[in-house]
Amino acid sequence: MSSKNVVLVAGVHGVSGRAAATAWANTRGAKVYGLSRRNADLPEGVEGLTVDLLDRQDVVRKLGELNGVTHLVFAAYIEKASASERSRVNVAILKNLVEVVEMASPALSHLTFYQGGKAYGSDLGPFKTPAREDDPRLMSPNFYYDQEDFLRRQQVGKSWHWTALRPEAIIGYATGNPMNLGVAIAVYATISKELGIPLRFPGSGKAHRALYQVSSADLLAAATVWAGVTPAARDEIFNITNGDQFRWQYIWPRIARMFEIEVAEPVPIPLSSYMTDKADLWREIAAKYGLLDTPYEKLVSWNFADFIFNSGFDNVSSTIKARQAGFAECIDSEEMFRAFFVALRARKVIP
């Protein structure tokens, strides 16, 4: 292969994977392959490969002859009910990919993979803030730790390196990826406006007042490319967020104005109960405004939104380590939300 960098992005149809593939495809001299179990539209400049990473033989058949790979971006994820099963499965798909690519591509130089707030216990309850990359681990099993430990063992005596990036609530868009806070807000606001009711923050009072942070998918993608080409990022973990924090109580009225809708006092509304019956209404909205024909259940995960909006504790990560290593990009979260909603309208996801 004549390209300077040949990049495989596993999980290309997810929010982080799609953004990373786009960023690498826009990098001069890069050839990008996007791996996924399903077919969907791909970013320009990305060649798709349908691969079941749980099936070792399928990985060998599809990737065993793909030599010259220099970079891996691992954004694949399989949800399971228990922590132990989640760990077993997600380590297995990483292991299958790395071992096959290693055999086929001696030129492999770097692997970037994504962790997140679960590394600090954000899914369990209040945790130390600001969270730092050197904070002690929690009780296992935790698939982030297990994937990292696998890579540390696998790397011994090899010439390639890895970088782990830890975002929080990635804001971006990918077709058929419902675990997306930004899309949940947009759909909730659109439906509220269509029903002629004000936009109320639907979570707990504690969450309404707590500090929170998010990560732009584009910012995370820029960090992914940076990690792949920067010696200071080798074998390191970095928190990657927008660089600011906000409280829902102050940003929520501003989000309402982005949809030209009135705001009202918060009421704890379980979205998983009150929004799941809106599929017919969404079809009417889609027809009325000529939106994409995306199945409602594949558009938003209301359970995911409920979790975020009811996390009644500060969620803050330090990004000092990334800045000291040379990645200084940041973005104002309010401006990010505004641009994201504009992009959703351009894609005909919302009116």
Side-chain angles (χ1 to χ4, degrees), residues 190 282 285-294 345 347-351:
T190 299
W282 187 257
I285 292 171
K288 179 179 178 181
Y289 296 102
L291 305 182
L292 291 176
D293 185 21
T294 305
R345 293 185 181 105
R347 291 174 178 268
K348 295 292 185 180
V349 178
I350 60 172

Side-chain angles (χ1 to χ4, degrees), residues 110-127:
H110 193 268
L111 182 150
T112 304
F113 69 113
Y114 302 124
Q115 298 184 337
K118 289 186 178 70
Y120 302 121
S122 65
D123 57 323
L124 303 175
F127 59 96

Side-chain angles (χ1 to χ4, degrees), residues 170-206:
I170 303 167
I171 305 297
Y173 179 73
T175 304
N177 193 292
M179 289 184 62
N180 189 318
L181 180 64
V183 174
I185 293 172
V187 173
Y188 175 55
T190 299
I191 289 176
S192 295
K193 185 174 182 178
E194 192 70 13
L195 292 174
I197 60 176
L199 187 66
R200 296 182 184 270
F201 180 76
S204 69
K206 287 183 177 180

Side-chain angles (χ1 to χ4, degrees), residues 143-161:
F143 78 93
Y144 291 150
Y145 305 158
D146 294 336
Q147 287 181 329
E148 180 186 331
D149 290 344
F150 161 73
L151 290 174
R152 288 181 183 275
R153 293 190 303 269
Q154 189 71 11
Q155 182 200 29
V156 174
K158 312 288 179 59
S159 60
W160 56 268
H161 300 274

Side-chain angles (χ1 to χ4, degrees), residues 28-346:
R28 186 174 181 179
K31 169 65 177 177
V32 183
Y33 294 92
L35 312 182
S36 183
R37 289 177 298 171
R38 61 186 176 93
N39 290 313
D41 66 298
L42 289 164
E44 184 177 350
V46 178
E47 182 176 337
L49 294 172
T50 304
V51 182
D52 182 356
L53 295 179
L54 264 180
D55 184 342
R56 176 61 174 251
Q57 294 308 309
D58 192 48
V59 179
V60 172
R61 282 193 300 272
K62 304 292 179 55
L63 305 180
E65 300 299 321
L66 192 63
N67 54 28
V69 173
T70 59
H71 291 74
L72 286 176
V73 177
F74 191 80
Y77 173 72
I78 298 176
E79 176 60 32
K80 291 294 180 181
S82 71
S84 58
E85 183 65 7
R86 198 157 48 238
S87 184
R88 184 191 68 78
V89 168
N90 285 286
V91 170
I93 59 176
L94 176 61
K95 184 174 186 288
N96 285 341
L97 179 63
V98 171
E99 290 181 347
V100 171
V101 171
E102 272 189 321
M103 289 188 293
S105 297
L108 180 65
S109 64
H110 193 268
L111 182 150
T112 304
F113 69 113
Y114 302 124
Q115 298 184 337
K118 289 186 178 70
Y120 302 121
S122 65
D123 57 323
L124 303 175
F127 59 96
K128 182 187 80 64
T129 56
R132 290 168 47 101
E133 295 88 346
D134 59 359
D135 287 344
R137 287 185 173 188
L138 305 170
M139 181 68 73
S140 60
N142 183 308
F143 78 93
Y144 291 150
Y145 305 158
D146 294 336
Q147 287 181 329
E148 180 186 331
D149 290 344
F150 161 73
L151 290 174
R152 288 181 183 275
R153 293 190 303 269
Q154 189 71 11
Q155 182 200 29
V156 174
K158 312 288 179 59
S159 60
W160 56 268
H161 300 274
W162 56 267
T163 303
L165 303 180
R166 291 179 175 173
E168 173 63 32
I170 303 167
I171 305 297
Y173 179 73
T175 304
N177 193 292
M179 289 184 62
N180 189 318
L181 180 64
V183 174
I185 293 172
V187 173
Y188 175 55
T190 299
I191 289 176
S192 295
K193 185 174 182 178
E194 192 70 13
L195 292 174
I197 60 176
L199 187 66
R200 296 182 184 270
F201 180 76
S204 69
K206 287 183 177 180
H208 193 229
R209 296 184 295 272
L211 281 172
Y212 195 58
Q213 61 185 354
V214 294
S215 300
S216 158
D218 292 337
L219 185 76
L220 180 62
T224 300
V225 175
W226 167 81
V229 298
T230 303
R234 291 173 178 172
D235 311 323
E236 296 287 351
I237 301 170
F238 297 102
N239 294 327
I240 302 292
T241 64
N242 286 357
D244 62 1
Q245 295 86 40
F246 57 84
R247 301 183 198 274
W248 290 113
Q249 68 181 117
Y250 300 126
I251 201 171
W252 198 257
R254 295 173 180 267
I255 288 175
R257 288 199 289 273
M258 296 174 196
F259 288 87
E260 299 179 342
I261 184 174
E262 294 296 321
V263 70
E265 289 300 307
V267 173
I269 305 167
L271 299 176
S272 55
S273 296
Y274 282 81
M275 298 303 291
T276 51
D277 69 337
K278 303 296 191 293
D280 289 342
L281 174 58
W282 187 257
R283 278 193 290 271
E284 293 174 9
I285 292 171
K288 179 179 178 181
Y289 296 102
L291 305 182
L292 291 176
D293 185 21
T294 305
Y296 187 66
E297 66 277 7
K298 293 187 178 297
L299 190 63
V300 180
S301 169
W302 297 113
N303 285 322
F304 178 70
D306 278 341
F307 173 78
I308 298 297
F309 291 142
N310 287 281
S311 295
F313 47 85
D314 290 349
N315 187 321
V316 178
S317 301
S318 169
T319 56
I320 290 295
K321 183 180 177 182
R323 279 183 270 172
Q324 290 176 332
F327 185 77
E329 291 194 33
C330 59
I331 185 172
D332 179 273
S333 291
E334 181 182 338
E335 291 302 316
M336 178 214 65
F337 275 119
R338 182 177 289 109
F340 178 65
F341 298 143
V342 168
L344 289 183
R345 293 185 181 105

